[in-house]
Amino acid sequence: MNRFQSEPLALNKSQIETMSETHRLQPGSKVDLSLLNTDGKRIHPDRQQAEAEFETLREELVTLQNRWYADGSRSLLVVFQAMDAGGKDGTIRRVFRGVNPQGVRVASFKAPSKKELSHDFLWRIHQQVPAKGMIGIFNRSHYEDVLVVRVDEIVPKPVWKSRYQSINDFEKMLTESGTTIIKFYLHISKSEQKKRFQARLDDATKQWKFARHDLEKRNQWDAYQEAYEEMLYRCSTEHAPWYIIPADQKWYRNLAISRVLVQTLRELNPQFPTPEDDLDKIDLD
Ligand code: ATP
Ligand code: MG
């Protein structure tokens, strides 16, 4: 039994309505992931229209990122978490297509090395946070330290329990230093994961993506969902919100994520730096 299943869905009606549009999880809201939609078709029935809107937003993201880099006064951190085959790689590839690679850096977090394990869990993370002017993308993140680490009992419970607060404090410190943080949980159904695993098994160009331990994690589906629920509940904050994105349909997922990214950057409103004086008097020979 899921930890939150016995309780009513703690989001109230208006929160659910807001969420179904923005997918943003209000701070302090408990979620039951089994009740939250994974199917983009239920929100946006028109795939063609969604793809057209996505393309327009993608182009705007390219323009905004160019200004963000030129402005160079703040940084943006985008975190992706999902179950295996949840679509993190595909999202990064599709949503950020066309942005200037000099201004974007992807950090993928695998199981920590011996050296990384000899430090606190945020040590390796802090080294990868984006510098000013940059967009940093985390493909998995410090949240693994309250997910796989919890499910596989890699550290004792009091240790991972204390990490929610450490993460919130760390993210607060980053935001106070000029970093905007957006976190996306790509929410897929168990049956969609099965389809994607099968596609990986059937296609010689995708087989490299399949790992046997993915099946072990699939068998631990409920334990992972529970870990995700607590992570979302404890770590969706005003300064670093979680967005729960219905991700069974890639086209809807891409649209929903690019809407959030573009909206966030529009609000941050990056500006080209003021040019030096008297540029119009410069005479090039
Ligand atoms: P794909 O979706 O393409 O398989 P991936 O992100 O799953 O990509 P993998 O190399 O398959 O990449 O897996 C990375 C593994 O590292 C994951 O199983 C993840 O749980 C694990 N990992 C990441 N951070 C930690 C951590 N702090 N402690 C233990 N394991 C971790
Ligand atoms: Mg994997």
Side-chain angles (χ1 to χ4, degrees), residues 73-126:
S73 62
R74 292 158 294 170
S75 37
L76 178 66
L77 173 60
V78 185
V79 173
F80 289 105
Q81 284 289 160
M83 298 292 286
D84 289 299
K88 294 177 278 89
D89 292 7
T91 303
I92 295 167
R93 198 170 56 244
R94 295 294 311 281
V95 170
F96 292 93
R97 185 164 63 86
V99 297
N100 183 349
Q102 281 205 105
V104 177
R105 205 159 145 256
V106 183
S108 297
F109 293 96
K110 311 281 181 190
S113 66
K114 218 171 157 190
K115 180 166 183 190
E116 287 168 341
L117 281 173
S118 72
H119 292 271
D120 67 90
F121 78 103
L122 291 169
W123 180 78
R124 66 173 183 158
I125 308 293
H126 204 167

Short mmCIF file of all heavy atoms in Angstrom, two decimals, residues 73-126:
data_model
loop_
_atom_site.label_atom_id
_atom_site.label_comp_id
_atom_site.label_asym_id
_atom_site.label_seq_id
_atom_site.Cartn_x
_atom_site.Cartn_y
_atom_site.Cartn_z
N SER A 73 23.84 37.46 -16.61
CA SER A 73 23.83 37.88 -15.20
C SER A 73 23.21 36.84 -14.27
O SER A 73 23.34 36.93 -13.06
CB SER A 73 23.08 39.21 -15.05
OG SER A 73 21.73 39.05 -15.45
N ARG A 74 22.53 35.84 -14.85
CA ARG A 74 21.86 34.84 -14.01
C ARG A 74 21.99 33.46 -14.67
O ARG A 74 22.37 33.36 -15.83
CB ARG A 74 20.37 35.19 -13.88
CG ARG A 74 20.10 36.44 -13.09
CD ARG A 74 18.75 37.03 -13.41
NE ARG A 74 18.69 37.53 -14.76
CZ ARG A 74 17.57 37.92 -15.37
NH1 ARG A 74 16.42 37.85 -14.75
NH2 ARG A 74 17.59 38.37 -16.61
N SER A 75 21.63 32.43 -13.93
CA SER A 75 21.68 31.09 -14.53
C SER A 75 20.35 30.36 -14.37
O SER A 75 19.55 30.70 -13.49
CB SER A 75 22.82 30.27 -13.95
OG SER A 75 22.98 30.53 -12.59
N LEU A 76 20.17 29.37 -15.23
CA LEU A 76 18.93 28.58 -15.20
C LEU A 76 19.30 27.11 -15.07
O LEU A 76 20.14 26.61 -15.83
CB LEU A 76 18.15 28.81 -16.50
CG LEU A 76 16.84 28.01 -16.66
CD1 LEU A 76 15.80 28.44 -15.62
CD2 LEU A 76 16.27 28.20 -18.07
N LEU A 77 18.69 26.45 -14.09
CA LEU A 77 18.93 25.02 -13.90
C LEU A 77 17.63 24.26 -14.14
O LEU A 77 16.60 24.56 -13.52
CB LEU A 77 19.42 24.76 -12.47
CG LEU A 77 19.55 23.30 -12.05
CD1 LEU A 77 20.53 22.54 -12.94
CD2 LEU A 77 19.99 23.19 -10.59
N VAL A 78 17.70 23.30 -15.05
CA VAL A 78 16.53 22.50 -15.39
C VAL A 78 16.82 21.04 -15.01
O VAL A 78 17.78 20.45 -15.51
CB VAL A 78 16.22 22.59 -16.90
CG1 VAL A 78 14.92 21.86 -17.22
CG2 VAL A 78 16.15 24.04 -17.36
N VAL A 79 16.00 20.50 -14.11
CA VAL A 79 16.23 19.15 -13.60
C VAL A 79 15.21 18.19 -14.21
O VAL A 79 14.01 18.50 -14.24
CB VAL A 79 16.08 19.15 -12.05
CG1 VAL A 79 16.16 17.73 -11.49
CG2 VAL A 79 17.13 20.04 -11.40
N PHE A 80 15.68 17.05 -14.69
CA PHE A 80 14.77 16.01 -15.19
C PHE A 80 14.92 14.74 -14.37
O PHE A 80 16.04 14.24 -14.18
CB PHE A 80 15.07 15.67 -16.66
CG PHE A 80 14.68 16.76 -17.61
CD1 PHE A 80 15.65 17.57 -18.20
CD2 PHE A 80 13.35 16.99 -17.92
CE1 PHE A 80 15.29 18.59 -19.07
CE2 PHE A 80 12.98 18.01 -18.79
CZ PHE A 80 13.96 18.81 -19.37
N GLN A 81 13.80 14.24 -13.90
CA GLN A 81 13.75 12.93 -13.24
C GLN A 81 12.61 12.12 -13.85
O GLN A 81 11.58 12.69 -14.24
CB GLN A 81 13.49 13.09 -11.74
CG GLN A 81 14.68 13.55 -10.93
CD GLN A 81 15.80 12.54 -10.76
OE1 GLN A 81 16.93 12.91 -10.45
NE2 GLN A 81 15.53 11.26 -10.97
N ALA A 82 12.80 10.83 -13.92
CA ALA A 82 11.74 9.94 -14.44
C ALA A 82 12.10 8.51 -14.14
O ALA A 82 13.27 8.19 -13.87
CB ALA A 82 11.59 10.12 -15.95
N MET A 83 11.10 7.65 -14.22
CA MET A 83 11.37 6.21 -14.20
C MET A 83 12.16 5.87 -15.45
O MET A 83 12.20 6.66 -16.41
CB MET A 83 10.05 5.43 -14.20
CG MET A 83 9.16 5.67 -12.99
SD MET A 83 9.82 5.03 -11.44
CE MET A 83 9.57 3.25 -11.64
N ASP A 84 12.77 4.68 -15.49
CA ASP A 84 13.50 4.28 -16.69
C ASP A 84 12.57 4.33 -17.90
O ASP A 84 11.40 3.97 -17.80
CB ASP A 84 14.08 2.87 -16.53
CG ASP A 84 15.21 2.86 -15.53
OD1 ASP A 84 16.22 3.54 -15.78
OD2 ASP A 84 15.08 2.20 -14.48
N ALA A 85 13.15 4.75 -19.03
CA ALA A 85 12.40 4.93 -20.28
C ALA A 85 11.33 6.02 -20.17
O ALA A 85 10.42 6.09 -20.99
CB ALA A 85 11.78 3.61 -20.77
N GLY A 86 11.47 6.85 -19.20
CA GLY A 86 10.52 7.95 -19.00
C GLY A 86 10.65 9.05 -20.02
O GLY A 86 9.77 9.91 -20.13
N GLY A 87 11.79 9.08 -20.72
CA GLY A 87 11.93 10.04 -21.82
C GLY A 87 12.84 11.23 -21.54
O GLY A 87 12.77 12.24 -22.24
N LYS A 88 13.72 11.10 -20.55
CA LYS A 88 14.60 12.23 -20.24
C LYS A 88 15.49 12.58 -21.43
O LYS A 88 15.58 13.74 -21.83
CB LYS A 88 15.48 11.91 -19.03
CG LYS A 88 14.73 11.74 -17.74
CD LYS A 88 15.66 11.36 -16.60
CE LYS A 88 15.98 9.89 -16.56
NZ LYS A 88 17.11 9.42 -17.30
N ASP A 89 16.11 11.56 -21.99
CA ASP A 89 17.05 11.82 -23.12
C ASP A 89 16.32 12.44 -24.31
O ASP A 89 16.80 13.41 -24.89
CB ASP A 89 17.71 10.52 -23.58
CG ASP A 89 18.67 9.96 -22.55
OD1 ASP A 89 18.70 10.51 -21.43
OD2 ASP A 89 19.37 8.99 -22.86
N GLY A 90 15.18 11.87 -24.65
CA GLY A 90 14.42 12.36 -25.80
C GLY A 90 13.94 13.79 -25.59
O GLY A 90 13.94 14.61 -26.51
N THR A 91 13.55 14.09 -24.35
CA THR A 91 13.10 15.45 -24.06
C THR A 91 14.23 16.45 -24.27
O THR A 91 14.06 17.49 -24.91
CB THR A 91 12.63 15.55 -22.58
OG1 THR A 91 11.60 14.59 -22.38
CG2 THR A 91 12.13 16.93 -22.26
N ILE A 92 15.38 16.10 -23.73
CA ILE A 92 16.53 17.02 -23.84
C ILE A 92 16.87 17.23 -25.32
O ILE A 92 17.09 18.34 -25.79
CB ILE A 92 17.73 16.47 -23.03
CG1 ILE A 92 17.38 16.45 -21.55
CG2 ILE A 92 18.99 17.28 -23.31
CD1 ILE A 92 18.33 15.66 -20.66
N ARG A 93 16.87 16.14 -26.06
CA ARG A 93 17.22 16.21 -27.49
C ARG A 93 16.21 17.06 -28.28
O ARG A 93 16.59 17.90 -29.08
CB ARG A 93 17.25 14.78 -28.05
CG ARG A 93 18.00 14.64 -29.35
CD ARG A 93 18.20 13.17 -29.72
NE ARG A 93 16.96 12.42 -29.79
CZ ARG A 93 16.63 11.40 -28.98
NH1 ARG A 93 17.47 11.00 -28.06
NH2 ARG A 93 15.47 10.78 -29.11
N ARG A 94 14.94 16.86 -28.00
CA ARG A 94 13.91 17.53 -28.80
C ARG A 94 13.67 18.98 -28.37
O ARG A 94 13.58 19.88 -29.19
CB ARG A 94 12.58 16.77 -28.71
CG ARG A 94 12.60 15.38 -29.31
CD ARG A 94 12.79 15.39 -30.81
NE ARG A 94 11.90 16.32 -31.50
CZ ARG A 94 10.63 16.09 -31.76
NH1 ARG A 94 10.08 14.94 -31.45
NH2 ARG A 94 9.89 17.00 -32.36
N VAL A 95 13.57 19.18 -27.05
CA VAL A 95 13.18 20.51 -26.57
C VAL A 95 14.30 21.53 -26.77
O VAL A 95 14.04 22.70 -27.06
CB VAL A 95 12.74 20.43 -25.08
CG1 VAL A 95 12.56 21.81 -24.47
CG2 VAL A 95 11.45 19.62 -24.96
N PHE A 96 15.54 21.06 -26.63
CA PHE A 96 16.66 22.01 -26.74
C PHE A 96 17.31 21.99 -28.13
O PHE A 96 18.38 22.55 -28.30
CB PHE A 96 17.70 21.72 -25.66
CG PHE A 96 17.18 22.04 -24.27
CD1 PHE A 96 16.57 21.06 -23.49
CD2 PHE A 96 17.26 23.33 -23.76
CE1 PHE A 96 16.06 21.36 -22.23
CE2 PHE A 96 16.76 23.64 -22.51
CZ PHE A 96 16.16 22.65 -21.74
N ARG A 97 16.66 21.37 -29.10
CA ARG A 97 17.21 21.34 -30.46
C ARG A 97 17.34 22.77 -30.98
O ARG A 97 16.42 23.57 -30.86
CB ARG A 97 16.30 20.53 -31.39
CG ARG A 97 16.85 20.36 -32.78
CD ARG A 97 16.12 19.24 -33.51
NE ARG A 97 14.70 19.53 -33.68
CZ ARG A 97 14.19 20.23 -34.69
NH1 ARG A 97 14.97 20.71 -35.63
NH2 ARG A 97 12.89 20.44 -34.77
N GLY A 98 18.53 23.07 -31.47
CA GLY A 98 18.72 24.39 -32.08
C GLY A 98 19.29 25.45 -31.16
O GLY A 98 19.75 26.47 -31.63
N VAL A 99 19.28 25.20 -29.85
CA VAL A 99 19.88 26.23 -28.98
C VAL A 99 21.40 26.17 -29.13
O VAL A 99 21.97 25.13 -29.46
CB VAL A 99 19.49 26.09 -27.48
CG1 VAL A 99 18.01 26.25 -27.28
CG2 VAL A 99 19.98 24.79 -26.90
N ASN A 100 22.02 27.30 -28.90
CA ASN A 100 23.48 27.38 -29.06
C ASN A 100 24.16 26.45 -28.04
O ASN A 100 24.05 26.68 -26.83
CB ASN A 100 23.90 28.83 -28.82
CG ASN A 100 25.38 29.03 -29.03
OD1 ASN A 100 26.13 28.07 -29.16
ND2 ASN A 100 25.80 30.28 -29.06
N PRO A 101 24.86 25.41 -28.50
CA PRO A 101 25.44 24.46 -27.55
C PRO A 101 26.43 25.10 -26.57
O PRO A 101 26.65 24.58 -25.48
CB PRO A 101 26.19 23.46 -28.45
CG PRO A 101 25.62 23.63 -29.80
CD PRO A 101 25.14 25.05 -29.90
N GLN A 102 26.96 26.26 -26.94
CA GLN A 102 27.90 26.92 -26.01
C GLN A 102 27.22 27.42 -24.74
O GLN A 102 27.89 27.64 -23.73
CB GLN A 102 28.52 28.15 -26.69
CG GLN A 102 29.62 27.79 -27.62
CD GLN A 102 30.59 28.95 -27.79
OE1 GLN A 102 31.68 28.94 -27.24
NE2 GLN A 102 30.18 29.93 -28.54
N GLY A 103 25.91 27.60 -24.82
CA GLY A 103 25.22 28.17 -23.67
C GLY A 103 24.45 27.16 -22.85
O GLY A 103 23.76 27.52 -21.90
N VAL A 104 24.55 25.89 -23.25
CA VAL A 104 23.78 24.86 -22.56
C VAL A 104 24.73 23.73 -22.16
O VAL A 104 25.59 23.33 -22.94
CB VAL A 104 22.69 24.29 -23.49
CG1 VAL A 104 21.92 23.17 -22.82
CG2 VAL A 104 21.71 25.38 -23.89
N ARG A 105 24.57 23.23 -20.96
CA ARG A 105 25.42 22.11 -20.55
C ARG A 105 24.57 21.04 -19.87
O ARG A 105 23.81 21.34 -18.96
CB ARG A 105 26.49 22.63 -19.57
CG ARG A 105 27.69 21.77 -19.56
CD ARG A 105 28.91 22.50 -19.04
NE ARG A 105 29.68 21.52 -18.31
CZ ARG A 105 29.74 21.43 -16.99
NH1 ARG A 105 29.10 22.30 -16.25
NH2 ARG A 105 30.45 20.48 -16.43
N VAL A 106 24.71 19.81 -20.38
CA VAL A 106 23.95 18.70 -19.79
C VAL A 106 24.86 17.94 -18.83
O VAL A 106 25.99 17.59 -19.20
CB VAL A 106 23.45 17.73 -20.88
CG1 VAL A 106 22.60 16.61 -20.25
CG2 VAL A 106 22.65 18.46 -21.95
N ALA A 107 24.39 17.68 -17.63
CA ALA A 107 25.13 16.81 -16.69
C ALA A 107 24.26 15.59 -16.42
O ALA A 107 23.11 15.72 -16.01
CB ALA A 107 25.40 17.56 -15.40
N SER A 108 24.80 14.40 -16.71
CA SER A 108 24.07 13.16 -16.45
C SER A 108 24.66 12.50 -15.21
O SER A 108 25.87 12.29 -15.16
CB SER A 108 24.21 12.20 -17.64
OG SER A 108 23.63 12.78 -18.78
N PHE A 109 23.81 12.22 -14.26
CA PHE A 109 24.31 11.65 -13.01
C PHE A 109 24.03 10.15 -12.96
O PHE A 109 22.89 9.71 -12.98
CB PHE A 109 23.69 12.36 -11.81
CG PHE A 109 24.13 13.79 -11.70
CD1 PHE A 109 23.36 14.82 -12.23
CD2 PHE A 109 25.35 14.10 -11.11
CE1 PHE A 109 23.78 16.13 -12.15
CE2 PHE A 109 25.79 15.42 -11.03
CZ PHE A 109 25.00 16.44 -11.55
N LYS A 110 25.13 9.41 -12.93
CA LYS A 110 25.05 7.94 -12.82
C LYS A 110 25.33 7.56 -11.37
O LYS A 110 25.52 8.44 -10.52
CB LYS A 110 26.12 7.31 -13.72
CG LYS A 110 26.14 7.87 -15.14
CD LYS A 110 25.06 7.28 -15.99
CE LYS A 110 25.11 7.83 -17.39
NZ LYS A 110 23.97 7.48 -18.19
N ALA A 111 25.47 6.26 -11.11
CA ALA A 111 25.83 5.84 -9.75
C ALA A 111 27.16 6.51 -9.39
O ALA A 111 28.07 6.57 -10.21
CB ALA A 111 25.95 4.33 -9.71
N PRO A 112 27.27 7.04 -8.18
CA PRO A 112 28.46 7.81 -7.82
C PRO A 112 29.74 6.96 -7.78
O PRO A 112 29.69 5.76 -7.45
CB PRO A 112 28.14 8.34 -6.42
CG PRO A 112 26.84 7.78 -6.02
CD PRO A 112 26.26 7.01 -7.14
N SER A 113 30.86 7.59 -8.12
CA SER A 113 32.16 6.91 -8.06
C SER A 113 32.61 6.82 -6.59
O SER A 113 32.00 7.44 -5.71
CB SER A 113 33.18 7.72 -8.85
OG SER A 113 33.38 8.96 -8.18
N LYS A 114 33.71 6.08 -6.41
CA LYS A 114 34.25 5.94 -5.05
C LYS A 114 34.62 7.32 -4.49
O LYS A 114 34.34 7.64 -3.34
CB LYS A 114 35.51 5.07 -5.13
CG LYS A 114 35.66 4.15 -3.98
CD LYS A 114 36.78 3.17 -4.23
CE LYS A 114 37.24 2.68 -2.87
NZ LYS A 114 38.46 1.91 -2.94
N LYS A 115 35.21 8.11 -5.35
CA LYS A 115 35.62 9.45 -4.91
C LYS A 115 34.39 10.29 -4.54
O LYS A 115 34.38 10.96 -3.50
CB LYS A 115 36.40 10.14 -6.02
CG LYS A 115 36.84 11.51 -5.62
CD LYS A 115 37.88 12.09 -6.52
CE LYS A 115 38.27 13.45 -5.95
NZ LYS A 115 39.08 14.23 -6.80
N GLU A 116 33.37 10.24 -5.40
CA GLU A 116 32.16 11.02 -5.11
C GLU A 116 31.51 10.56 -3.80
O GLU A 116 31.02 11.37 -3.01
CB GLU A 116 31.17 10.90 -6.28
CG GLU A 116 31.63 11.68 -7.50
CD GLU A 116 30.85 11.36 -8.78
OE1 GLU A 116 30.20 10.30 -8.87
OE2 GLU A 116 30.93 12.18 -9.71
N LEU A 117 31.55 9.25 -3.58
CA LEU A 117 30.95 8.71 -2.35
C LEU A 117 31.71 9.11 -1.09
O LEU A 117 31.18 9.03 0.01
CB LEU A 117 30.86 7.19 -2.43
CG LEU A 117 29.72 6.63 -3.27
CD1 LEU A 117 29.84 5.13 -3.40
CD2 LEU A 117 28.36 7.00 -2.67
N SER A 118 32.96 9.51 -1.29
CA SER A 118 33.75 9.89 -0.12
C SER A 118 33.45 11.34 0.30
O SER A 118 34.05 11.86 1.23
CB SER A 118 35.23 9.67 -0.37
OG SER A 118 35.70 10.65 -1.28
N HIS A 119 32.55 12.00 -0.44
CA HIS A 119 32.12 13.35 -0.08
C HIS A 119 30.64 13.35 0.28
O HIS A 119 29.95 12.33 0.12
CB HIS A 119 32.33 14.30 -1.26
CG HIS A 119 33.77 14.54 -1.57
ND1 HIS A 119 34.51 15.56 -1.00
CD2 HIS A 119 34.62 13.89 -2.41
CE1 HIS A 119 35.74 15.53 -1.48
NE2 HIS A 119 35.84 14.53 -2.32
N ASP A 120 30.11 14.49 0.70
CA ASP A 120 28.66 14.59 0.92
C ASP A 120 27.93 14.46 -0.41
O ASP A 120 28.51 14.71 -1.47
CB ASP A 120 28.33 15.93 1.60
CG ASP A 120 28.58 17.10 0.69
OD1 ASP A 120 27.67 17.49 -0.04
OD2 ASP A 120 29.72 17.61 0.65
N PHE A 121 26.65 14.09 -0.37
CA PHE A 121 25.94 13.74 -1.62
C PHE A 121 25.77 14.91 -2.57
O PHE A 121 25.54 14.72 -3.76
CB PHE A 121 24.58 13.07 -1.31
CG PHE A 121 23.47 14.00 -0.91
CD1 PHE A 121 22.47 14.34 -1.81
CD2 PHE A 121 23.39 14.53 0.38
CE1 PHE A 121 21.42 15.19 -1.45
CE2 PHE A 121 22.35 15.38 0.75
CZ PHE A 121 21.37 15.71 -0.16
N LEU A 122 25.88 16.15 -2.05
CA LEU A 122 25.70 17.31 -2.94
C LEU A 122 27.01 17.79 -3.57
O LEU A 122 26.99 18.67 -4.44
CB LEU A 122 25.02 18.45 -2.16
CG LEU A 122 23.57 18.17 -1.78
CD1 LEU A 122 23.05 19.22 -0.79
CD2 LEU A 122 22.67 18.13 -3.03
N TRP A 123 28.10 17.21 -3.15
CA TRP A 123 29.43 17.67 -3.63
C TRP A 123 29.52 17.59 -5.14
O TRP A 123 29.88 18.55 -5.81
CB TRP A 123 30.50 16.81 -2.95
CG TRP A 123 31.91 17.14 -3.32
CD1 TRP A 123 32.65 18.18 -2.85
CD2 TRP A 123 32.76 16.40 -4.21
NE1 TRP A 123 33.91 18.14 -3.41
CE2 TRP A 123 34.01 17.06 -4.24
CE3 TRP A 123 32.60 15.24 -4.99
CZ2 TRP A 123 35.08 16.61 -5.00
CZ3 TRP A 123 33.67 14.79 -5.75
CH2 TRP A 123 34.88 15.47 -5.76
N ARG A 124 29.17 16.43 -5.70
CA ARG A 124 29.32 16.28 -7.16
C ARG A 124 28.27 17.12 -7.91
O ARG A 124 28.46 17.51 -9.05
CB ARG A 124 29.22 14.81 -7.57
CG ARG A 124 27.86 14.17 -7.35
CD ARG A 124 27.82 12.77 -7.94
NE ARG A 124 26.52 12.13 -7.82
CZ ARG A 124 26.13 11.14 -8.59
NH1 ARG A 124 26.92 10.65 -9.52
NH2 ARG A 124 24.94 10.60 -8.42
N ILE A 125 27.16 17.37 -7.24
CA ILE A 125 26.08 18.13 -7.87
C ILE A 125 26.49 19.61 -7.98
O ILE A 125 26.35 20.23 -9.04
CB ILE A 125 24.79 18.03 -7.01
CG1 ILE A 125 24.42 16.57 -6.70
CG2 ILE A 125 23.65 18.80 -7.65
CD1 ILE A 125 24.01 15.74 -7.87
N HIS A 126 27.03 20.11 -6.88
CA HIS A 126 27.38 21.54 -6.84
C HIS A 126 28.37 21.90 -7.96
O HIS A 126 28.33 22.98 -8.53
CB HIS A 126 27.96 21.88 -5.46
CG HIS A 126 27.81 23.32 -5.10
ND1 HIS A 126 28.00 23.81 -3.85
CD2 HIS A 126 27.50 24.39 -5.87
CE1 HIS A 126 27.81 25.12 -3.83
NE2 HIS A 126 27.50 25.50 -5.05
#
